Amino acid sequence: MARVADVSAITASRALRNPASVSPVLRERINRAVAKIGYVPNTAARALASAGTNVIGVIIPSVTNSVFTDVLRGIYDTIEDTPFQAQLGTTNYSSIKEEELLRLFIGQRPAALLVTGFDQSKEAHRLLKANECPVVQIMDLPPDPVDMAVGFDHREAAEVATRALIARSYKRIGFLAAQMDVRTRQRLEGYSRAMQEAGLFDERMIVTTHKTSNVLLGGQLLSEFIARFPDADAIQANNDDIALGALFECQRRRIRVPEDFGISGFNDFDIASTVHPTLTSVKTYRYEMGRKAIEMLIASISGEPPAERSVNLGFELIERESTARTG
């Protein structure tokens, strides 16, 4: 390829590793040579030669969950104009799959790793600790991160949302949830704490399933909750999918929202502000989470790790029509 571009091998290599290190004219000549011969860099050989690659391994539970879709947008938008590339792996919420992906990525000598949560298995945690590249854990705020972390307090967010329902004079408030991963369990803890402090807690008002979360399931969980408590008057949902399913089921049953029944979601997807009535939800900063994680990793790769190694992005309760009961 260097011969076709009429440059030295060192110059060609430098241009491919870091395009900004060569002039635009030279970069264009090398790019034409690459296109002409269909050159593909041997990343395995490069890793052996340089004891590393320009790959940032990204491990998330799911690509179909809108939460992680937003995180990925933040990741890819931030990494686009850098010499780094993201290599994506999904665990489908399996600790065994996460271990396999970590072994695969670490074996390729990545520049950095981005992983979801802090509830890794002992083996996965060992792999992350033994790994020599920068690591950032996203979504949560672990008390003792492997290296760096970006997230928010799920317990506090759910507690704030539940207290807001109580302040609106809702009393028999259920908690509906699916998937039951560690973040869901943290939100359940926040709901339980708010209800206990108000003297309203009843464990039977917690309706959960390990099934994958979706809108249809939200309606089913609401039906189960109302069957248990016909006089129930509100729910705190684990996410907006469940909350929307509950809202549609209320409309099917001609239960008035918010007059007779309040509904509060979590994540504040775009649809929350467009349904009728509009949906109260906890706004989380998912895009910013992906962006901040990549910025922290690149800074660490460059030898300038951020002074703040655990970043709390916070949350905001957006109160809308679905909980707007007065009196």
Side-chain angles (χ1 to χ4, degrees):
M1 187 274 293
R3 186 172 62 252
V4 174
D6 193 24
V7 297
S8 69
I10 293 176
T11 299
S13 177
R14 187 169 69 250
L16 292 174
R17 289 172 181 271
N18 185 7
S21 66
V22 300
S23 69
V25 173
L26 197 55
R27 188 162 62 243
E28 176 61 25
R29 189 198 310 171
I30 292 170
N31 287 341
R32 286 199 301 268
V34 167
K36 180 177 181 179
I37 66 174
Y39 173 75
V40 177
N42 187 330
T43 55
R46 178 185 294 175
L48 289 172
S50 64
T53 68
N54 67 341
V55 171
I56 295 177
V58 176
I59 299 178
I60 61 173
S62 169
V63 292
T64 58
N65 186 324
S66 297
V67 168
F68 296 106
T69 301
D70 291 338
V71 171
L72 287 175
R73 285 197 305 108
I75 290 171
Y76 284 110
D77 283 356
T78 308
I79 210 169
E80 183 175 5
D81 295 324
T82 75
F84 299 99
Q85 298 291 328
Q87 182 176 350
L88 179 64
T90 57
T91 66
N92 196 29
Y93 297 93
S94 165
S95 59
I96 294 175
K97 182 64 175 178
E98 184 174 44
E99 292 173 14
E100 293 174 350
L101 286 169
L102 283 172
R103 290 192 188 95
L104 174 64
F105 284 3
I106 292 172
Q108 296 172 347
R109 301 184 181 181
L113 287 171
L114 184 156
V115 298
T116 304
F118 65 90
D119 58 327
Q120 283 82 24
S121 67
K122 289 184 178 179
E123 175 61 14
H125 191 266
R126 184 193 68 77
L127 288 167
L128 288 171
K129 278 289 191 181
N131 169 58
E132 296 180 355
C133 72
V135 175
V136 65
Q137 293 162 283
I138 64 167
M139 300 303 296
D140 296 290
L141 294 173
D144 184 24
V146 170
D147 183 9
M148 297 174 288
V150 186
F152 66 98
D153 191 327
H154 295 258
R155 292 182 188 86
E156 182 185 4
E159 185 174 358
V160 167
T162 305
R163 284 177 175 168
L165 285 169
I166 296 170
R168 291 286 190 176
S169 299
Y170 296 106
K171 302 298 181 185
R172 294 169 297 281
I173 306 167
F175 182 85
L176 307 188
Q179 197 68 60
M180 299 311 295
D181 60 16
V182 65
R183 287 165 292 282
T184 299
R185 296 194 297 271
Q186 289 170 354
R187 295 171 194 176
L188 174 55
E189 290 174 14
Y191 155 86
S192 300
R193 187 161 57 192
M195 293 292 283
Q196 287 166 353
E197 289 178 354
L200 300 173
F201 182 76
D202 185 334
E203 191 171 0
R204 295 173 299 167
M205 291 194 290
I206 299 170
V207 183
T208 65
T209 177
H210 287 281
K211 294 180 181 178
T212 301
S213 181
N214 57 65
V215 174
L216 178 61
L217 186 58
Q220 295 169 353
L221 293 177
L222 181 78
S223 295
E224 182 178 342
F225 176 52
I226 290 177
R228 293 185 191 179
F229 290 90
D231 61 345
D233 63 0
I235 58 114
Q236 174 59 53
N238 174 56
N239 59 40
D240 284 354
D241 286 346
I242 298 298
L244 287 169
L247 173 62
F248 298 151
E249 181 63 18
C250 282
Q251 292 171 339
R252 190 184 72 80
R253 292 170 177 257
R254 291 180 170 78
I255 297 173
R256 297 183 307 164
V257 177
E259 295 86 354
D260 300 327
F261 202 91
I263 299 176
S264 180
F266 205 105
N267 284 319
D268 194 36
F269 293 149
D270 290 343
I271 194 173
S273 62
T274 60
V275 293
H276 179 73
T278 54
L279 179 67
T280 290
S281 189
V282 175
K283 181 178 181 62
T284 59
Y285 300 98
R286 304 173 299 277
Y287 178 89
E288 292 80 359
M289 196 176 301
R291 175 178 289 280
K292 184 63 177 179
I294 292 299
E295 289 174 349
M296 293 170 73
L297 288 174
I298 291 176
S300 292
I301 294 167
S302 303
E304 299 178 358
E308 188 179 6
R309 304 187 74 84
S310 186
V311 177
N312 186 348
L313 292 177
F315 60 88
E316 181 183 359
L317 177 63
I318 308 297
E319 295 191 78
R320 298 192 179 96
E321 295 168 348
S322 68
T323 60
R325 183 167 73 174
T326 58

